[in-house]
Amino acid sequence: MVDLKFIKENLEAVKENIRNRYMQADAELVVRLYDERNALIAQVDALRAQRNENAQKMKGKLSPEERANLIEEGKALKARIADLEEKLAEKEKELYKEAAKIPNMAHPDAPVGKEDKDNLEIRRVGTVPRFSFKPKDHVELGELLDIIDFDTATRVAGTKFYYLKNEAVFLELGLVRYAFDILAKHGFQPFITPDIAKEEIVEGIGFNPRGPESNIYTIEGTDTCLVGTAEITLGGYYADTILDASRLPIQMAGLSHCFRREAGAAGQFSKGLYRVHQFTKVEMFVYCRPEESDSWHQRLLAIEEEIFSGLEIPYRVVDTCTGDLGAPAYRKFDLEAWMPGRGEGGEWGEVTSTSNCTDYQARRLGIRYKEEGKNRFVHMLNGTAIAVSRGIIAILENFQEADGSVRIPQKLVPYTGFDRIRPKH
């Protein structure tokens, strides 16, 4: 949530930010509700002061008539306070409902645009492979190598699910351990997180758990959801907590399954493993002081690049445009790997992202730290270490050979136990 006082004092900038993000929110309504809330607070405080004054008078020497009058006045004040407190609670509920629709402010350097085509490419790393044969996509390779089964998964679970089998099982496990070893070297504490979170945590992180536009699976008859990312469970870990400043920064790395409805996702770039309802992901999460969040954002991006450079996968880094940031992010960088099986001649596909959400999530979740006697909101950042299904796509398609076999990147061989996957038929 954006600071309400900031919204009031920077109304035009907030309205422009909402337009740049192509989101629906009414900042003027939020300011009006904020002022009305504050006026009610002032009225309640004034009446409480009168009630305290009334109580003090009751302690003095009074005639029966004076005492009776003060008792009646006290009853009237109590009733008026109760009435105003009820109105205040309703006003605050309305205020926070509308304020929650306002996205975080965007970084001044974030490119202004509506969708991913408006993202700004920063750099390219690695060499795009050139094949002496027509490269296959990962769906064809998965069938040829007998390591991915989409058809049976569709019969058992529905579309956009899959079975990994044979060498693909060790490939997934190897990618997870490879990522965790790099993160441990950088000081991240490892976690395996729950795959379920309460709706209040999901909302606090900035995801919409319900409604036709939601990407979240809710669990019927409960106030819980399947998580779409360990960002939710790692970000909720310190909800309603005041942290000791000496503990900052806090670095966490979480392994979880991720569940996403992917409603309406279609097209050639969504085929196979690229956009599925369930996948495994290792997520990085950092809590830090506000003045450190920009540098931590660059560090998370550097770690993502280290992971994919080590896998010898060509990629590019893009600065995500305002319309594609999502409500919580102040700035976001994506890594897009080269995927030879996409389109006619290959195409870039997102494999990681890292976001600086500043204090937006911390305000919603009540996560602060104490320094110099004051409670301040932490800054919270997240980044994908490895989304395993997309990592598998990039490996299969970039390291395929003319005979249909797939070479395993050298740094991954110790984790898989083999250096090549060969066709089974």
Side-chain angles (χ1 to χ4, degrees):
M1 182 178 294
V2 178
D3 178 47
L4 297 172
K5 186 179 179 184
F6 178 90
I7 296 172
K8 179 178 173 64
E9 295 176 351
N10 301 272
L11 181 58
E12 291 307 313
V14 171
K15 287 165 66 175
E16 182 182 10
N17 182 61
I18 293 168
R19 288 192 296 270
N20 288 344
R21 287 175 177 258
Y22 298 87
M23 300 181 84
Q24 298 298 316
D26 192 337
E28 290 184 352
L29 173 59
V30 169
V31 170
R32 178 169 64 79
L33 292 170
Y34 177 63
D35 288 341
E36 291 172 356
R37 192 277 304 264
N38 289 347
L40 283 170
I41 289 174
Q43 291 178 54
V44 170
D45 287 345
L47 288 174
R48 285 173 178 164
Q50 288 182 42
R51 184 178 64 182
N52 291 338
E53 186 180 342
N54 178 273
Q56 287 299 317
K57 289 178 180 178
M58 291 284 288
K59 295 177 181 178
K61 265 191 168 183
L62 300 169
S63 68
E65 184 179 352
E66 288 173 327
R67 186 172 296 279
N69 287 339
L70 286 173
I71 289 172
E72 286 304 312
E73 183 182 344
K75 288 179 179 178
L77 285 168
K78 182 179 179 181
R80 288 173 63 191
I81 290 170
D83 180 57
L84 280 177
E85 285 178 336
E86 187 176 335
K87 289 179 179 177
L88 175 60
E90 286 299 313
K91 188 65 67 177
E92 286 191 327
K93 184 178 179 182
E94 187 180 0
L95 169 61
Y96 291 129
K97 178 183 176 183
E98 293 302 321
K101 298 175 184 177
I102 294 181
N104 200 358
M105 297 300 288
H107 190 286
D109 294 338
V112 176
K114 188 173 185 179
E115 49 199 20
D116 56 7
K117 66 178 179 59
D118 300 314
N119 294 342
L120 177 66
E121 182 177 317
I122 297 174
R123 59 181 167 273
R124 294 188 182 188
V125 177
T127 303
V128 170
R130 294 285 178 256
F131 299 100
S132 59
F133 56 93
K134 180 175 172 52
K136 298 177 176 62
D137 65 31
H138 71 282
V139 177
E140 298 173 281
L141 289 165
E143 182 178 356
L144 178 65
L145 301 171
D146 194 27
I147 58 173
I148 310 173
D149 188 341
F150 293 103
D151 293 339
T152 304
T154 299
R155 293 200 307 273
V156 172
T159 58
K160 294 191 177 295
F161 286 95
Y162 58 95
Y163 284 93
L164 294 182
K165 57 181 182 175
N166 300 323
E167 291 95 336
V169 173
F170 299 103
L171 185 55
E172 167 151 327
L173 296 174
L175 283 166
V176 168
R177 185 57 196 268
Y178 164 73
F180 266 117
D181 280 357
I182 289 175
L183 296 180
K185 180 184 70 175
H186 287 282
F188 285 80
Q189 182 181 9
F191 288 81
I192 296 178
T193 80
D195 288 337
I196 291 174
K198 293 180 178 179
E199 285 187 18
E200 64 196 64
I201 299 296
V202 175
E203 290 176 334
I205 288 294
F207 290 87
N208 175 20
R210 295 189 179 273
E213 295 182 1
S214 175
N215 203 20
I216 298 287
Y217 284 108
T218 55
I219 300 175
E220 187 176 357
T222 74
D223 64 348
T224 61
C225 309
L226 297 176
V227 300
T229 166
E231 174 192 349
I232 295 169
T233 40
L234 295 176
Y237 195 86
Y238 290 108
D240 299 316
T241 299
I242 298 176
L243 299 164
D244 190 315
S246 65
R247 296 185 60 193
L248 299 176
I250 296 172
Q251 301 167 241
M252 307 168 79
L255 172 66
S256 77
H257 293 111
C258 304
F259 301 89
R260 301 185 182 181
R261 291 177 59 228
E262 299 295 3
Q268 62 169 327
F269 289 170
S270 295
K271 70 185 292 188
L273 293 175
Y274 191 78
R275 205 172 290 282
V276 289
H277 291 315
Q278 177 186 337
F279 59 96
T280 302
K281 181 155 70 82
V282 179
E283 184 78 1
M284 299 179 284
F285 205 91
V286 172
Y287 299 82
C288 68
R289 290 177 173 83
E291 63 271 19
E292 297 174 339
S293 65
D294 279 340
S295 62
W296 263 109
H297 198 198
Q298 293 297 329
R299 288 177 71 175
L300 292 179
L301 175 60
I303 292 169
E304 292 178 345
E305 292 194 65
E306 179 183 347
I307 288 169
F308 276 84
S309 293
L311 293 173
E312 307 167 52
I313 293 171
Y315 65 85
R316 66 176 185 173
V317 180
V318 298
D319 197 348
T320 306
C321 71
T322 52
D324 206 29
L325 280 177
Y330 170 66
R331 196 177 196 184
K332 182 168 75 151
F333 298 111
D334 287 349
L335 249 65
E336 296 180 349
W338 181 253
M339 297 182 177
R342 294 189 106 191
E344 291 302 313
E347 187 53 79
W348 301 102
E350 180 193 332
V351 286
T352 77
S353 66
T354 178
S355 300
N356 181 359
C357 297
T358 61
D359 61 0
Y360 186 87
Q361 295 169 324
R363 287 179 182 278
R364 296 161 72 107
L365 291 169
I367 307 174
R368 294 164 291 173
Y369 69 102
K370 185 177 287 291
E371 191 169 58
E372 297 177 351
K374 293 183 179 179
N375 292 332
R376 311 175 193 273
F377 288 103
V378 297
H379 276 202
M380 295 163 65
L381 303 95
N382 64 83
T384 308
I386 189 81
V388 176
S389 54
R390 293 190 180 182
I392 289 175
I393 293 174
I395 290 170
L396 294 181
E397 294 187 0
N398 280 284
F399 296 108
Q400 60 182 297
E401 308 275 352
D403 63 357
S405 66
V406 172
R407 180 173 61 85
I408 301 299
Q410 192 60 42
K411 285 194 176 180
L412 208 54
V413 172
Y415 296 98
T416 60
F418 49 83
D419 61 5
R420 188 176 296 272
I421 307 175
R422 301 183 185 279
K424 304 299 188 298
H425 48 72

